[in-house]
Amino acid sequence: MTSAAMLSGNHGCLVGISKPTVFTGASAMFLLVYLALWKYHDINNPLLASASSLTGDETRAAISLQDNIIEEPEQITSCDPPVNVTTFKNESVPVIYFVTPTYARSVQMAELTRLGQTLSSVPALHWILVEDAPKCNPAVGKLLRRLGIPFTHLASAMPSAYKKLKNPPRGVSNRRAALQWIRSNVKQGVLYFGDDDNSYDLRLFDEIRDTRNISMFPVGLVGDYAVSAPVVYDGKVVGFYDSWPAGRRFAVDMAGFAVNIKLLHQFPNATFVYKVGFEEDSFLQEIVTDVGFIEAKAANCTQILVWHTRTVQVPMAMLQPPTLIIEDTSISGLLHALDENKLASFSTSRGKPSSVHYLTDV
Ligand code: UGA
Ligand code: MN
């Protein structure tokens, strides 16, 4: 089957990125009927957002006019003295700039510890960790310094206009801040957006390191298909296997692509829109001028090297500290750690009373 034949059939959510162009009178008739039916399908599919009926430039205009309410640059706080980004020894190996948006919650330190320890096994990697907060959390800074990997620690809070929304666009202001930082500080390397709660196979880093323009690969545990993946035919990306096409040209997850940093300089305005679910597509539509440039990774997009895992959110405990504390026990240090890591907050008048069960009690 040719790629044109593959794409012309109704493959549900196999989103085609090129269409057959040569057709006769009869097939033109068929095409009109087909398009009418497809349109009907779109209108009646609750999963498809309104953008699905738009194409190319129209989609782009719709996104930028309606969704980028915030036009001014993000407020960015630099948390640590800037590091020298050119200190990597082997300059022939492209450096991976791994951008992680993160926000305060009880599971944050657990996520960052696990991710940081994965990243410390990767050579020539620079971690750009951007907190969704007006200022930096010292406990996060401490973890970064302890890991001993090159890092940049920034903070950039979600604009308040979006915070009020029931389903706000997550991690956008912080990723935009990271783009700004890279454009001002880095000339070359490979950019990857790695959320703090995903799981990464170390082989992923070998795959993305030689990204010449833009590379794509499957992400496990996304949507109803258990995966979001580019579809490769004859070595080329010809579509996407993703259960939420939603009119997106590039139906990919944030963790499913890497970009050569030269493209950030080539397209200085490319950024993420504040629109849930359309962040990746908005960015990719700006920088992918030729779909032939997309490099299929992970054995022609047949392997899963990254998973969109989600951690159960545990509300921060509100506690009253034990009233009877025997001096010199570990308890005050422990409570301090709970507070520092935002696992619990303490008040002497409110919250759940807590107590120590001493061995001598029983
Ligand atoms: C999915 C995608 O994998 C994200 O890349 C995308 O940003 C997100 O949907 C979206 O479109 O909203 P999902 O697992 O649903 O991700 O979202 P989270 O893991 O909750 O958040 C994505 C990233 O943003 C995480 O690294 C998280 O720490 C960060 N985040 C989340 C913030 O910085 N601020 C928030 O208020 C929430
Ligand atoms: Mn997530």
Side-chain angles (χ1 to χ4, degrees), residues 195 197-198 308-310:
D195 289 352
D197 54 345
N198 291 341
H308 183 247
T309 40
R310 278 172 290 185

Side-chain angles (χ1 to χ4, degrees), residues 51-63 247 249 281 285:
S52 65
S53 59
L54 303 175
T55 53
D57 286 345
E58 282 174 79
T59 311
R60 233 169 286 170
I63 285 172
R249 180 161 162 80
D281 193 40
Q285 285 204 33

Side-chain angles (χ1 to χ4, degrees), residues 127-140:
W127 194 10
I128 304 175
L129 186 62
V130 197
E131 295 190 51
D132 179 352
K135 57 187 180 77
C136 315
N137 175 354
V140 172

